[in-house]
Amino acid sequence: AALAAAGLDAATARQLAGDLALERLLLEAADRVLPDGPSWREGLALGARITGAFGEELARLARGRGGPPRRRRGVTRARASR
């Protein structure tokens, strides 16, 4: 009776009930549904921006040079692969 008074037919009431049930499940499991930090790609991009490698690569591409990027002095293979 309350749903009919609110102007909801049976199909709309079922959809609303489903939406509310899904909302409850998402709220109860929010710690498992929402990401807990940046992805490895976002972290890699941030690291490249902080070290200047991102800007260097953009400049190299703007100059039209192809091929692999130059290695930065002081960056070991182990550090570069993190």
Side-chain angles (χ1 to χ4, degrees):
L3 295 175
L8 299 174
D9 61 10
T12 307
R14 276 192 299 278
Q15 181 65 43
L16 176 61
D19 289 349
L20 291 173
L22 179 59
E23 179 184 40
R24 174 176 280 237
L25 287 172
L26 285 171
L27 290 173
E28 289 173 355
D31 58 329
R32 291 177 284 162
V33 175
L34 300 175
D36 59 351
S39 71
W40 67 270
R41 287 184 176 126
E42 291 168 324
L44 185 63
L46 178 60
R49 285 186 178 97
I50 289 171
T51 63
F54 190 82
E56 290 173 8
E57 184 64 13
L58 286 177
R60 185 185 68 78
L61 291 171
R63 288 190 303 266
R65 287 190 189 165
R70 288 186 354 220
R71 294 191 69 123
R72 295 181 55 135
R73 285 192 302 191
V75 177
T76 64
R77 182 168 292 206
R79 275 186 58 207
S81 66
R82 283 188 201 167

